[in-house]
Structure formats: structure tokens, C-alpha cells
């Protein structure tokens, strides 16, 4: 049986508001096994995206704070790690795919994918090689010189996926990766994520769409900051 790559125990995360402290995530506990594809689903504001940001130790907007709990990645506590240590984990271990693409408008597809590799200190030749391979992997080898405005929404999301997988991280965390896309582009993106899973990556899919979540083999439903259910769909991918 596969071992746990992520272990979340009694996670509680809150925000300060004018009316006082509001708990966004309430005593959430679940494990993620190596090589599984997991869907985390819930309505907007339920706490699912905040949970994903806690895993990455990205402070959501507005900034909040950990009230309690533990998040372990490969057995090591994340919450107590420094920003520098977390940058290494985010850069090498966990590839994050944003809903809003988060591409820099004046950079080409190749340059957008290459950017995180610059921060990691990789030499230019290696950065370009990895970036081209990642873009080819998502079917955009012919669009390396195009800027975001010259691409469709689906193509921009594929650039975002290429950026996330360029360093071949073992975990892919996708926050609403199809939220801004039409049905055709949604199928393309889900196809890429499923292929990454079949290659042995751990894929965590955050979504408000039950149909998208149901394409994973296991689905966790979150409501009002708490886990409502955790079930195996039995789906064959």
C-alpha cells in the first residue's frame, strides 16, 4: 500500500474581521497517499482553497493565521518551516496550478515557464531545455514565443501547467484549474492532469464542480470549513 505523502491533522485556520475572528478551516484532518489523484470539492468560501494554500504555506488574502493543527510533507512539519525552506518545497516538491493562470503578460510562454527556474538558480541552458520540454508535454511546443494575450484561456492554463511541472515535482496541486475554461478546454486540462497521475504523480484537484471532482479516484467534500465526506469513487482512469 502506498505511503502518505501529506498528513493534515486538526488543521484550523482563521481570519481577523471587523466582527471578530472567523474560522475558515475547522479541525480538518486527512492524508494524501503517494501516487493518488484526489479531488477536494466544495462551494465557494467553504475553505477548500484556504486548505490548499495552507499546504503550500501561502498566506491567503486577506492574511490569516494558523490556530492549530499539523501539516506534514514526507513526514516533515510544514507549518514551522521558514519562508526560505518553503520556497524550496514549492519550487521542487509541489507544483501549484492557479485558477487565474498567473502568467506575466509581457513574457512569452517559454519565459513564463522559465521564471521559477531562474529563482532556483538553474543555468540558462538547463532552464530553456526544461521549459521547452514542459511546453511540449502540454502540447504547446509550437507556441513558445507567444505571449498570454496571443493565446486562448485553455492554452494559457496549459502554460501554467507547464510552469508547474517543469521541475518534475512529485505532487501537483491544482486550485480550480478549469474554473475559467470552456468545456473543450476543461477536457484538455483534465486529460493532462490524468496523464500526470498515470505517470505516478500525486495530483490534488481543488474544485467547486462536483463533475470535475468525480473524475478523481477519491473525493473529499468540504462544507463550512469542515470535511463532510471522504470517499473512494472507484473510478477507473
Amino acid at each position: 500500500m502506498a505511503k502518505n505523502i501529506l498528513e493534515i491533522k486538526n488543521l484550523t485556520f482563521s481570519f481577523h474581521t471587523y466582527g471578530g475572528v472567523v474560522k475558515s478551516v475547522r479541525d480538518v484532518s486527512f492524508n494524501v497517499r503517494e501516487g493518488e489523484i484526489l479531488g477536494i470539492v466544495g462551494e465557494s468560501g467553504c475553505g477548500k482553497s484556504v486548505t490548499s494554500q495552507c499546504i503550500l504555506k501561502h498566506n491567503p488574502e486577506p492574511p490569516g493565521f494558523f490556530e492549530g493543527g499539523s501539516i506534514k510533507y514526507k513526514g516533515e512539519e510544514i507549518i514551522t518551516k521558514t519562508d526560505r525552506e518553503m520556497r524550496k518545497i514549492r519550487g521542487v516538491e509541489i507544483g501549484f496550478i492557479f485558477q487565474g493562470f498567473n502568467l506575466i503578460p509581457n513574457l512569452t510562454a517559454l519565459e513564463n515557464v522559465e521564471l521559477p527556474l531562474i529563482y532556483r538558480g538553474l543555468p540558462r541552458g538547463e532552464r530553456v531545455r526544461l521549459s521547452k520540454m514542459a511546453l511540449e508535454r502540454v502540447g504547446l511546443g509550437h507556441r513558445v514565443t507567444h505571449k498570454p494575450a496571443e493565446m486562448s484561456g485553455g492554452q494559457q492554463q496549459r502554460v501554467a501547467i507547464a510552469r508547474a511541472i517543469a521541475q518534475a515535482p512529485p505532487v501537483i496541486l491544482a486550485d480550480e484549474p478549469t474554473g475559467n475554461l470552456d468545456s473543450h478546454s476543461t477536457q484538455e486540462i483534465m486529460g493532462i492532469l490524468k496523464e500526470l497521475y498515470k505517470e505516478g504523480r500525486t495530483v490534488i484537484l481543488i474544485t467547486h464542480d462536483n463533475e470535475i471532482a468525480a473524475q478523481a479516484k477519491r473525493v473529499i467534500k468540504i462544507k463550512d470549513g469542515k470535511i463532510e465526506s471522504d470517499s473512494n469513487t472507484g473510478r477507473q482512469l
Side-chain angles (χ1 to χ4, degrees):
M1 184 176 178
K3 62 183 179 180
N4 293 327
I5 195 167
L6 271 167
E7 299 170 279
I8 294 91
K9 293 183 180 178
N10 306 119
L11 178 65
T12 300
F13 193 89
S14 300
F15 296 95
H16 286 296
T17 70
Y18 290 112
V21 173
V22 174
K23 286 181 171 59
S24 176
V25 178
R26 303 166 178 262
D27 199 32
V28 162
S29 298
F30 65 93
N31 296 329
V32 182
R33 293 180 292 276
E34 281 188 336
E36 80 169 325
I37 181 167
L38 167 68
I40 300 180
V41 67
E43 296 179 356
S44 178
C46 73
K48 62 186 186 299
S49 289
V50 173
T51 300
S52 72
Q53 290 166 331
C54 287
I55 291 170
L56 293 166
K57 208 178 177 183
H58 272 160
N59 211 336
E61 292 292 338
F65 59 96
F66 288 101
E67 278 205 70
S70 169
I71 302 174
K72 290 183 178 180
Y73 178 73
K74 292 184 176 179
E76 294 188 9
E77 181 61 60
I78 281 178
I79 292 176
T80 56
K81 287 190 178 295
T82 65
D83 289 343
R84 183 176 182 179
E85 290 170 330
M86 281 307 301
R87 281 197 296 272
K88 183 177 180 180
I89 289 175
R90 290 192 292 260
V92 179
E93 297 286 338
I94 304 176
F96 189 52
I97 302 170
F98 300 87
Q99 175 183 3
F101 315 144
N102 279 29
L103 303 179
I104 297 178
N106 62 334
L107 297 184
T108 65
L110 181 67
E111 291 166 338
N112 267 286
V113 176
E114 187 183 355
L115 190 60
L117 306 180
I118 294 175
Y119 296 145
R120 291 209 57 240
L122 269 66
R124 174 168 171 74
E126 182 70 358
R127 296 195 310 260
V128 171
R129 184 184 72 83
L130 290 174
S131 298
K132 285 183 175 179
M133 284 177 57
L135 285 165
E136 289 170 2
R137 175 70 183 78
V138 299
L140 289 178
H142 63 300
R143 305 283 281 183
V144 295
T145 62
H146 289 72
K147 294 181 179 180
E150 301 169 321
M151 293 182 282
S152 67
Q155 289 172 332
Q156 290 182 57
Q157 188 61 297
R158 281 191 273 164
V159 173
I161 292 175
R163 180 181 57 195
I165 66 174
Q167 273 291 101
V171 177
I172 303 294
L173 179 55
D175 189 0
E176 297 282 9
T178 62
N180 295 327
L181 305 179
D182 59 30
S183 58
H184 176 72
S185 297
T186 292
Q187 290 178 357
E188 288 184 336
I189 298 306
M190 288 304 300
I192 293 171
L193 293 176
K194 289 176 187 177
E195 285 301 315
L196 291 168
Y197 156 72
K198 290 176 181 178
E199 291 172 4
R201 312 285 180 88
T202 303
V203 177
I204 305 170
L205 176 64
I206 313 292
T207 181
H208 68 278
D209 190 324
N210 286 296
E211 291 185 7
I212 295 296
Q215 296 185 51
K217 283 200 167 186
R218 175 182 164 212
V219 176
I220 292 175
K221 292 184 178 181
I222 294 182
K223 184 176 181 179
D224 298 330
K226 298 180 179 180
I227 292 181
E228 187 176 46
S229 64
D230 185 343
S231 61
N232 190 324
T233 66
R235 185 179 179 87
Q236 298 297 315
L237 299 181

